[in-house]
Amino acid sequence: MTPVLPEREQAAVLWPSLTEAAEHVEKLTVSLPKPGQRSPEQRAEAAAAKDAARALRVQFLDAHVDAVYDQLTEDRSVSLRLAELVEAAAIAFPGLVPSDWQLASERSRPQADKEGHEIDQGIFLRAVLRSAVAGPHLLDAMLRPTPRALRLLPEFRRTGVVEMEAVRLERRDGAARLTMCRDDCLNAEDDQQVDDMETAVDLALLDPAVRVGLLRGGEMSHPRYRGKRVFSAGINLKNLSSGNISLVDFLLRRELGYIHKLVRGVLVDDPGRWHSPRVEKPWVAAVDGFAIGGGTQLLLVFDHVLAASDAYFSLPAAKEGIIPGVANFRFSRYAGPRLARQVILGGRRIWATEPDARLLADEIVEPHELDATIERALMRLDGDAVLANRRMLNLAEEPVDAFRAYMAEFALQQALRLYGEDVIDKVGRFGARPV
């Protein structure tokens, strides 16, 4: 099928070649053993076919991404979230991104036996986010409240409590208290956690009775930390090894969804909000135990960070082999380029008692003092002047277009990392460990 594009002549040249290359890849990979069982020659043959198709995808999108996006979103009159956008693209432009059945066939496979179809999603989303026309529209689509949050909002406004699998949300004294409660896995992050976190952030931002938000880890049932609070162990590497960490629903939704909402707020359709279409609120984070990987990434968007004196921070990107979210974009702003490289490239762990910890946390207190310190921090951030000034700070420190440019490249580079041989080998060894 030739796509309906304004540049019909150009599309007529590129599109048949792309669809032919995509069909060749599909026929070839179906005829071969699973990726983890292929000979070196078979792996080289499959890689060459995929590279040829991907080069054509890049050429096509470089020329037509705005027309493609406008067709999918009815000239940007419809807001499609990431998952909806790639699904719509798979239907309207077969071969441009993986189909639903291709992705479904991969979900049951461990990471080592996947074909890497998500790399093609990364190529598509990089092109969309790079575009000065399509990119801002997609960012806005991801800042809108989720349907799940809108369904739960009346109940939350009435009761002040919502219990989810990975997050508990409670409103008390004007503060939305988000507690990460994956007690068995040290709050390790996965697709479910991202969904629950975005729902909780939306609810906190949409509830007019909430003036400030708090994020903290709950008490653990994990044998090593039973009864103790833990902030976050970062990405769930066992889930990554088993193939249950997705590019779109976890790695990209996490950054463009709830974490970006912590920075920019939630986008609402309210004519009365002529002064700002987004509902924003200040946020406090409190670290018990440790903030590993994604846990430390989160701290970089909070307005005030507290940590117990026995806690530590780390971004073990080199060990895991993947990119630590938007930390490469934000960490230097807090800690400077030298420390950023020590932590991200060298795997340095920073203990709360070290002087450098004050670059990541505003207050370091004894564990038994953390509860009282949290309440004081929430009171200090509860004010209209705080809200206006945080908005201007975020605008100056993290311009939207700079963030968009980073996320465009991240979409592809993280997809490539997911299927890197070193990553598959590392997470495979981790996944083989006993619980």
Side-chain angles (χ1 to χ4, degrees):
M1 181 182 75
T2 301
V4 181
L5 296 170
E7 306 90 341
R8 287 297 292 257
E9 291 184 6
Q10 272 189 302
V13 173
L14 283 173
W15 187 250
S17 298
L18 170 54
T19 54
E20 182 180 347
E23 289 170 2
H24 173 62
V25 169
E26 183 62 21
K27 290 178 182 177
L28 175 62
T29 54
V30 167
S31 71
L32 294 173
K34 292 180 180 179
Q37 301 169 1
R38 289 171 188 167
S39 68
E41 293 77 17
Q42 289 171 330
R43 286 199 294 271
E45 184 183 11
K50 291 174 184 177
D51 284 345
R54 285 165 183 161
L56 289 169
R57 286 188 182 95
V58 170
Q59 291 178 46
F60 179 79
L61 288 165
D62 282 348
H64 303 295
V65 66
D66 287 339
V68 168
Y69 189 81
D70 280 354
Q71 183 173 325
L72 297 177
T73 60
E74 300 178 25
D75 294 324
R76 283 163 280 134
S77 65
V78 176
S79 293
L80 297 180
R81 289 174 60 83
L82 288 168
E84 296 168 327
L85 183 66
V86 294
E87 182 179 359
I91 295 170
F93 299 89
L96 185 61
V97 295
S99 64
D100 280 351
W101 69 264
Q102 285 176 313
L103 294 172
S105 70
E106 298 254 279
R107 288 192 190 105
S108 61
R109 299 184 184 182
Q111 197 70 9
D113 279 336
K114 293 188 178 186
E115 295 290 353
H117 291 306
E118 289 175 304
I119 295 172
D120 302 321
Q121 292 180 321
I123 291 170
F124 172 65
L125 292 171
R126 179 181 67 163
V128 171
L129 288 165
R130 273 177 158 178
S131 166
V133 175
H137 189 267
L138 178 57
L139 289 189
D140 281 352
M142 291 301 294
L143 287 178
R144 294 185 180 278
T146 65
R148 183 187 183 199
L150 292 175
R151 288 196 304 270
L152 292 174
L153 183 59
E155 177 191 352
F156 179 63
R157 292 189 64 178
R158 180 176 60 84
T159 66
V161 177
V162 172
E163 300 271 4
M164 292 173 280
E165 183 178 334
V167 182
R168 183 180 192 274
L169 175 64
E170 179 185 7
R171 182 187 64 240
R172 191 170 74 248
D173 300 326
R177 300 161 191 268
L178 284 67
T179 302
M180 295 179 285
C181 54
R182 278 284 179 81
D183 58 294
D184 60 330
C185 62
L186 307 179
N187 289 326
E189 298 176 293
D190 57 16
D191 289 17
Q192 182 64 54
Q193 196 263 5
V194 168
D195 187 39
D196 289 352
M197 281 292 292
E198 184 165 14
T199 302
V201 169
D202 280 353
L203 291 171
L205 290 169
L206 291 170
D207 183 357
V210 170
R211 300 185 299 275
V212 61
L214 166 71
L215 180 64
R216 192 179 187 186
E219 291 186 2
M220 298 292 104
S221 62
H222 188 283
R224 290 181 60 188
Y225 298 90
R226 193 179 305 278
K228 297 180 179 179
R229 285 183 180 266
V230 162
F231 190 71
S232 174
I235 191 171
N236 191 317
L237 293 175
K238 287 185 180 293
N239 280 14
L240 178 55
S241 174
S242 63
N244 292 318
I245 293 291
S246 62
L247 176 70
V248 168
D249 289 326
F250 178 82
L251 293 163
L252 293 179
R253 178 183 175 182
R254 178 178 184 271
E255 305 299 340
L256 295 174
Y258 84 86
I259 297 182
H260 197 210
K261 286 173 177 176
L262 291 170
V263 179
R264 306 285 178 195
V266 66
L267 184 62
V268 295
D269 295 317
D270 181 358
R273 293 193 59 83
W274 56 267
H275 49 87
S276 173
R278 296 187 303 276
V279 179
E280 305 171 51
K281 289 169 187 177
W283 291 90
V284 174
V287 179
D288 302 91
F290 45 75
I292 299 173
T296 292
Q297 295 167 32
L298 275 173
L299 303 181
L300 302 178
V301 302
F302 278 78
D303 302 297
H304 196 80
V305 176
L306 311 168
S309 58
D310 58 354
Y312 67 85
F313 316 93
S314 69
L315 285 167
K319 181 179 179 181
E320 296 167 353
I322 59 176
I323 299 168
V326 189
N328 304 60
F329 180 62
R330 294 173 174 140
F331 198 91
S332 293
R333 189 170 77 224
Y334 286 88
R338 292 268 57 87
L339 184 58
R341 281 164 172 75
Q342 291 169 23
V343 172
I344 294 172
L345 303 182
R348 177 182 165 185
R349 178 181 292 184
I350 299 177
W351 290 90
T353 50
E354 295 181 54
D356 283 341
R358 295 306 297 266
L359 299 171
L360 297 174
D362 301 282
E363 297 182 73
I364 310 291
V365 300
E366 293 302 311
H368 68 273
E369 298 174 350
L370 194 53
D371 288 349
T373 307
I374 287 170
E375 298 307 316
R376 289 194 294 269
L378 291 172
M379 289 180 62
R380 284 197 303 272
L381 289 185
D382 184 359
D384 292 340
V386 169
L387 191 58
N389 279 289
R390 84 178 290 275
R391 180 180 301 148
M392 301 309 293
L393 284 168
N394 286 333
L395 181 64
E397 293 171 352
E398 190 171 304
V400 176
D401 283 345
F403 170 74
R404 177 170 59 81
Y406 178 92
M407 286 304 305
E409 193 61 25
F410 175 82
L412 177 56
Q413 296 304 322
Q414 188 73 299
L416 291 168
R417 285 284 73 218
L418 279 179
Y419 295 93
E421 289 185 12
D422 58 321
V423 173
I424 290 171
D425 181 57
K426 288 172 184 176
V427 301
R429 291 199 303 269
F430 187 93
R433 293 179 188 173
V435 178

